[in-house]
Amino acid sequence: MTVTLTAFERSPDGGMGLARDTRVRWALEEAGQAYEVRPVSFSAMKEPAHLAAQPFGQIPVYQEGDLVLFESGAIIFHIASHHSGLFPDDANARARAITWMFAALNTVEPPILELITVKFLEGDKPWNKDRLPLVFDRIRHRLTQLSARLGDADWLDGAFSAGDLLMVSVLLRTRPSGILNEFPSLAAYVARGEARPAYKRAFAAQLAFNTAQPAAS
Ligand code: GTB
């Protein structure tokens, strides 16, 4: 069945791989599932046709036959549930992998998103310079805890799983800030994720997509 992923027509990051279609592309590559990409412009994202699929007017949207999904975490959960390679076979280990997916999205990503808000949406506010260090401290606190848990392991719980895929994707969003350099074991963890052939394919595909010349009219 054809899988279609909706992504930014042009990601504002110019192909750095930070938009959330990249994590879904990565999961599809890990799963060996071919997919097509449907670009959507910022204005089309807010139109009824797109809102019918994604009520918040965002990307990514995943379509597989009659099934239309939004929320990158739910999409990756679906992919991991229907292909091998992203969830362990053992039921308890699978439950722990799911726990790490939630931890990435619910516990580690929120302070990172706060940083992006402070830097890019609230940069002109008078209180910005006071708030920025507080947000950095909250991220640092989470990364300290995560680093302590990872220890010298390659992945969070045994073999690579969808939990690692999401955690690495979330940590990658801190890269422009440089804060990951304070946590060498997490920087190495992210590098292991980026070294996976599936990640490389996903990254290259989104880069090509976001840097392609527009078709001549
Ligand atoms: N919880 C949803 C999910 O996980 O799917 C969040 C989806 C979401 O935030 N989508 C963003 C979006 O569509 C793109 S990923 N934004 C448009 C809008 O809300 O109008 C966030 C993102 C955007 C841009 C960059 N960048 O340029 O670096 C990075 C990440």
Side-chain angles (χ1 to χ4, degrees):
M1 187 143 346
T2 306
V3 165
T4 306
L5 184 65
T6 303
F8 282 135
E9 190 174 50
R10 268 287 188 277
S11 176
D13 72 1
M16 281 175 67
L18 301 177
R20 284 182 175 88
D21 60 295
T22 302
R23 51 186 78 175
V24 178
R25 288 172 183 268
W26 183 8
L28 288 164
E29 292 287 353
E30 292 283 351
Q33 168 68 58
Y35 63 98
E36 292 173 0
V37 178
R38 192 171 69 77
V40 62
S41 67
F42 273 98
S43 58
M45 240 179 263
K46 311 303 173 195
E47 295 291 331
H50 186 77
L51 290 171
Q54 216 294 3
F56 307 109
Q58 297 183 313
I59 61 100
V61 170
Y62 171 99
Q63 181 151 18
E64 180 189 332
D66 290 343
L67 178 67
V68 180
L69 295 175
F70 61 97
E71 282 300 329
S72 54
I75 296 168
I76 292 167
F77 182 92
H78 172 79
I79 295 165
S81 300
H82 290 84
H83 298 271
S84 58
L86 285 166
F87 278 156
D89 292 336
D90 175 74
N92 285 355
R94 181 175 182 277
R96 290 195 301 273
I98 294 166
T99 302
W100 280 114
M101 293 177 72
F102 277 86
L105 298 178
N106 267 1
T107 304
V108 178
E109 194 165 39
I112 294 170
L113 291 179
E114 253 188 278
L115 176 63
I116 291 161
T117 303
V118 176
K119 283 203 148 183
F120 298 108
L121 302 179
E122 300 171 353
D124 57 343
K125 304 291 182 211
W127 34 259
N128 182 268
K129 68 172 191 338
D130 293 326
R131 182 155 137 75
L132 198 56
L134 302 176
V135 172
F136 266 116
D137 280 349
R138 280 201 280 278
I139 297 177
R140 215 168 260 123
H141 181 55
R142 281 288 175 258
L143 297 190
T144 302
Q145 294 169 315
L146 184 65
S147 170
R149 170 51 77 101
L150 181 65
D152 56 9
D154 279 355
W155 306 113
L156 287 166
D157 191 311
F160 175 84
S161 78
D164 294 296
L165 186 152
L166 275 174
M167 193 63 83
V168 169
S169 299
V170 161
L171 294 177
L172 275 167
R173 294 195 71 179
T174 68
R175 178 162 283 160
S177 76
I179 199 169
L180 216 48
N181 298 331
E182 296 175 26
F183 300 88
S185 68
L186 293 182
Y189 170 65
V190 168
R192 274 192 291 282
E194 290 179 293
R196 292 181 71 81
Y199 178 84
K200 288 185 179 174
R201 289 194 296 274
F203 183 87
Q206 69 74 36
L207 181 62
F209 187 83
N210 283 303
T211 53
Q213 297 299 321
S217 50

